[in-house]
Amino acid sequence: MIRTFAEHRIRQTRELGGQWDFITDPGNIGGQEQWYKQFPVPQTNVFVPACWNNEFGLYDYEGVAWYRTTFELAQPEHLRLIFHAVLGHADVYLDGTHLGYHYGGYSPFEFIVSRAAAGTHELIVRTDSTLTRQTIPIDLVDWFHYGGIMRPVELQYLPDIFIDKLRVDYTLNDARSHADVNVTVRLRSLGDADRSVPLNLQADGQVFHQETLTVPAGQTVTAEVRQTWTDVRLWQPGQAELYLIGAVTDTDDRYDRIGFRHIEVKERRICINGEPLYLQGVNRHEEHPEWGFAFPPKLMKKDLDLIKELGCNTVRGPTTRKALIGSICWMSTASCTGAKSPCGAPICRRKSPPTPSSASGRCR
């Protein structure tokens, strides 16, 4: 998912976008010839993120292809390398070493590299967009299948102890005025010594919890904080109240956003915070003749603006995960949160809106 807010303010991050060396491997010989150690003369340069099928001469290519880029480190660093999506199979190599494998073209995956040396580093990715009877999807699909690194590649610089996880769960009381909030923070050590780490938890910039955690060398420590928040601002259709939750230490931070709302289905009506909501929407397939599946944020926003202009408050994506809006979203916050429908059913049927009498009343 492309976030519309900064997830880090202390932690340094950068994208490894731009032009990468690229070569197809129709005979699947690159692994045997160890292209991950000695990359061959590139066939061309392609931009990342993008689908290779939108390049000249590659429209109908399905199979194995290799990418290569380099990056510089001014000093030794711990690294978090995030691939936000690579279509099909992906094998990732850093300086000739296999970091790992991932399959699934619409989900992010990552690698932690400790103590990367200063200097120039070579990053190589082997991808394979081949569909078979054993892949998901299978080879018989009713859409055009693309290949490539279709979402950003992100490089993060980590301290010796970094925030590995931040999760916020909650339960609203019956009156929906109070929320029992559970915040989980996991710290992970990449260092050689035990350390005491001050941890602050914030909501919209205000600290609501402080403690000091001792993290043993090379281990992880999880902190869980349970509180009851009163007079919470509810997430409402058309008024997306969102809290910015942050976990901050002396050397790292991580932020996420959350909205408090209660969604239920009563008497065949979808209700948010006790009020029935009539859904009008469209089914949106993310494909473009110039971009394939690799939609830039500007184009996503334009699509959402067009859908809102139609008078819709709902958009349903197809089975694949969308980069910006999730699978099914309420349009009031579709451009920033990706809140899902409680039932998950396709919502693309157009009919006359209900009369005020049928739409009024509360869900009980």
Side-chain angles (χ1 to χ4, degrees):
M1 179 184 292
I2 296 175
R3 313 308 297 269
T4 57
F5 63 96
E7 295 182 86
H8 304 283
R9 299 175 183 177
I10 298 176
R11 183 185 301 182
Q12 296 183 23
T13 68
R14 59 179 285 205
E15 287 192 7
L16 299 179
Q19 294 193 74
W20 289 44
D21 294 334
F22 178 85
I23 187 170
T24 58
D25 185 9
N28 194 19
I29 62 173
Q32 182 179 355
E33 296 185 355
Q34 298 186 340
W35 289 3
Y36 51 88
K37 291 185 177 179
Q38 185 65 45
F39 199 82
V41 176
Q43 177 179 340
T44 186
N45 298 109
V46 297
F47 276 89
V48 172
C51 299
W52 71 54
N53 305 87
N54 300 107
E55 304 293 333
F56 285 119
L58 296 172
Y59 170 77
D60 58 353
Y61 181 72
E62 179 181 284
V64 180
W66 295 70
Y67 290 79
R68 174 189 178 273
T69 191
T70 61
F71 61 89
E72 301 280 342
L73 294 180
Q75 60 188 20
E77 298 278 4
H78 303 306
L79 303 176
R80 182 184 182 212
L81 182 62
I82 307 170
F83 290 83
H84 287 273
V86 178
L87 286 161
H89 305 268
D91 282 281
V92 180
Y93 302 86
L94 182 64
D95 300 328
T97 299
H98 187 231
L99 294 183
Y101 164 84
H102 179 266
Y103 180 77
Y106 303 93
S107 54
F109 58 99
E110 65 181 61
F111 305 99
I112 302 297
V113 180
S114 61
R115 302 178 182 87
T120 301
H121 293 270
E122 181 182 55
L123 179 63
I124 293 177
V125 183
R126 177 193 180 273
T127 68
D128 185 357
S129 65
T130 304
L131 296 182
T132 70
R133 293 301 173 92
Q134 282 73 47
T135 58
I136 300 176
I138 62 173
D139 54 348
L140 299 176
V141 294
D142 60 352
W143 67 85
F144 189 87
H145 187 63
Y146 293 84
I149 304 174
M150 72 164 185
R151 291 182 187 156
V153 180
E154 185 179 354
L155 187 66
Q156 298 184 353
Y157 302 90
L158 303 177
D160 282 349
I161 296 178
F162 70 99
I163 300 172
D164 190 36
K165 174 184 177 181
L166 169 62
R167 180 181 175 88
V168 183
D169 298 296
Y170 68 88
T171 301
L172 287 172
N173 68 344
D174 292 339
R176 304 181 187 93
S177 59
H178 293 37
D180 293 325
V181 180
N182 183 41
V183 182
T184 303
V185 180
R186 184 170 64 210
L187 302 181
R188 178 177 171 183
S189 170
L190 299 174
D192 297 324
D194 300 353
R195 265 201 61 199
S196 295
V197 179
L199 173 66
N200 293 337
L201 299 182
Q202 306 174 0
D204 292 337
Q206 300 296 314
V207 175
F208 64 86
H209 178 79
Q210 292 178 308
E211 66 175 296
T212 299
L213 300 172
T214 299
V215 184
Q219 303 297 314
T220 61
V221 170
T222 299
E224 289 197 16
V225 176
R226 294 180 174 88
Q227 293 185 353
T228 297
W229 294 6
T230 60
D231 301 321
V232 294
R233 308 188 308 270
L234 294 180
W235 182 101
Q236 301 280 9
Q239 186 177 353
E241 290 284 356
L242 295 171
Y243 287 75
L244 182 66
I245 308 298
V248 182
T249 70
D250 54 343
T251 58
D252 197 22
D253 63 350
R254 192 161 184 168
Y255 290 87
D256 207 343
R257 293 201 296 196
I258 189 170
F260 293 96
R261 81 274 193 206
H262 181 72
I263 304 176
E264 60 184 333
V265 177
K266 286 289 185 70
E267 299 178 357
R268 303 181 66 182
R269 294 183 297 182
I270 296 175
C271 302
I272 300 181
N273 301 329
E275 299 293 340
L277 177 68
Y278 181 76
L279 301 179
Q280 287 194 129
V282 296
N283 192 50
R284 175 183 179 271
H285 285 263
E286 192 164 282
E287 183 178 5
H288 189 274
E290 293 296 330
W291 299 97
F293 291 160
F295 266 46
K298 178 183 183 299
L299 192 55
M300 296 182 205
K301 183 179 184 302
K302 182 178 180 181
D303 277 1
L304 294 176
D305 288 342
L306 290 171
I307 293 170
K308 292 168 68 176
E309 186 69 18
L310 290 173
C312 299
N313 64 0
T314 309
V315 58
R316 181 189 185 274
T319 54
T320 56
R321 291 181 59 181
K322 301 297 102 178
L324 181 67
I325 60 174
S327 297
I328 301 175
C329 319
W330 310 121
M331 280 300 299
S332 57
T333 58
S335 62
C336 55
T337 62
K340 295 184 179 180
S341 162
C343 57
I347 305 167
C348 54
R349 184 180 302 165
R350 290 294 300 233
K351 59 183 180 181
S352 299
T355 61
S357 58
S358 65
S360 60
R362 296 180 62 84
C363 295
R364 304 185 185 277

